[in-house]
Structures are given as structure tokens and as C-alpha cells.
Amino acid sequence: MIITLIRHGEVDEHYHGCYNGHIDIALSLKGEEQARELAHHFKEKDFDAVFCSDLKRCKQTLEPFNFDIRPVYTQALREKSWGRHEGKSFDEIIKDEDFKYIDFVQWINALDGEDYSQYIERIESFFKGFLMANPYKNVLVLTHAGVIRVLMHILQEISLEEAFSTSFSYANYIVLDSETWTFTETQCV
């Protein structure tokens, strides 16, 4: 199976560099343009399944696409929930909280919201469980950078810190071959 993973288009600048999680924010004007460019780039691609996070920024990125099949919108592809820290930047959290950054794992476990081990399990279950249990050949997945980075952590057996140090811009995409679980291409439109 070939899985094309797309990160949603750009959101309003106010949300850049923040722990946005489940905040249902819309695309910026630039993000809307990126969505149209992605749709144009993939217009000749024949997908037999399309899965998309149910959050607005992903759904809006998918809107310009024209498929013969109906996309499936799912919470399984959502970014991690950061609870009361959602919408805040690292600096805002440091200023407001009585804990400090020691290392990456300590930090993500100190933040509120979805337990990180459950988040990783959710991502692994969707890709290695659900997708692999179906006879798909060419799948499009529209999701969030955190989901893609967690998948890199799982498949490439790299630390979470290393995965989250990987730059993955808005409207970037990466192609994954599930036979070898290797990433074969990465691009930004």
C-alpha cells in the first residue's frame, strides 16, 4: 500500500508555533491557496481511499480536491489534545506554569490533555492496524504535523524529540510504502 500523508495548509499567523491540538481553527488565505495547489498537484492521482482529520483546517485543505470516492473524516487523525494549554506558545506556557522544560519527554508529559502514550497508540492503531486490515493500494491521508511526526517516530524508530525536530511545513506531503514502512518522498507545494 502507498500512503500519501499531507499536512493541512497554513492557519492564521496567531496560531503559528502554538500547541493548537483540537482547536477547530480555519485555514488562512495562504492556507486556502495551498489547498488549491495541493488539489491541482494531485488531480491525476487515483486514490482508492481518502482519510482526513475531522478538524476544520484539514477538512478545508481537502475541499478543493475532486474525488470519485467519499472521504472519511475521523478523530483518529486529530492532533494531540493539549487541554488547557491549547492555543498557547511554549513561552506562554513557561510564563503561566510552575513547571519548566527539562527535556522533550518530560515536557510533553507535563502538559495537559491527551496522554502522550495513548496518542502514540492511537496513531499506530490507525496506520498499522486499521489501514493494514483493508485491501487499499493507494491511500490519501490528510492530517497534522504531529501525527506525521509520531508516525516517523514509530516507523523509523527515532526518538520523539528527533521526530519533532524534523521540519514539516504547512501543505507538505510525504509518501509512505507500507510494505517496507519507508518514506519514499517528501515535498511541499
Side-chain angles (χ1 to χ4, degrees), residues 4-181:
T4 302
L5 297 138
I6 299 176
R7 181 185 183 189
H8 62 79
E10 182 185 83
V11 295
D12 187 270
E13 192 172 338
H14 171 75
Y15 294 101
H16 290 198
C18 294
Y19 293 82
N20 294 320
H22 290 189
I23 298 174
D24 209 13
I25 53 180
L27 295 178
S28 66
L29 292 176
K30 181 177 179 182
E32 291 173 4
E33 177 60 31
Q34 289 171 329
R36 289 188 291 274
E37 289 174 17
L38 282 166
H40 178 74
H41 180 79
F42 287 105
K43 72 179 178 184
E44 302 298 323
K45 196 79 163 165
D46 187 28
F47 295 105
D48 54 353
V50 177
F51 297 93
C52 182
S53 164
D54 66 340
L55 294 175
K56 186 184 293 184
R57 53 198 182 267
C58 288
K59 293 189 324 189
Q60 285 182 320
T61 303
L62 195 60
E63 279 177 8
F65 286 71
N66 188 15
F67 299 113
D68 292 334
I69 55 174
R70 177 174 285 179
V72 174
Y73 299 97
T74 176
Q75 292 182 2
L77 292 170
R78 281 186 175 194
E79 189 63 273
K80 179 194 179 303
S81 166
W82 296 103
R84 73 179 190 277
H85 298 111
E86 289 195 351
K88 294 182 178 181
S89 69
F90 176 86
D91 291 339
E92 289 173 306
I93 295 169
I94 288 289
K95 184 179 136 232
D96 294 345
E97 296 291 342
D98 59 355
F99 56 84
K100 300 295 177 208
Y101 182 94
I102 297 169
D103 64 45
F104 186 80
V105 174
Q106 166 271 334
W107 177 255
I108 59 175
N109 286 324
L111 296 179
D112 197 25
E114 184 177 9
D115 179 79
Y116 219 83
S117 62
Q118 290 176 341
Y119 175 57
I120 292 170
E121 185 179 308
R122 171 165 56 90
I123 304 308
E124 186 167 21
S125 176
F126 179 83
F127 286 96
K128 288 187 138 184
F130 171 75
L131 278 186
M132 296 312 297
N134 286 282
Y136 305 128
K137 291 186 172 120
N138 198 7
V139 176
L140 176 66
V141 174
L142 210 146
T143 189
H144 309 268
V147 171
I148 295 168
R149 289 176 177 136
V150 165
L151 190 58
M152 292 169 71
H153 157 72
I154 294 166
L155 300 178
Q156 295 179 338
E157 297 178 357
I158 59 176
S159 71
L160 282 171
E161 185 169 11
E162 189 176 351
F164 276 80
S165 296
T166 303
S167 176
F168 206 80
S169 301
Y170 293 111
N172 256 10
Y173 71 90
I174 191 165
V175 179
L176 175 63
D177 182 340
S178 71
E179 283 191 32
T180 58
W181 289 114

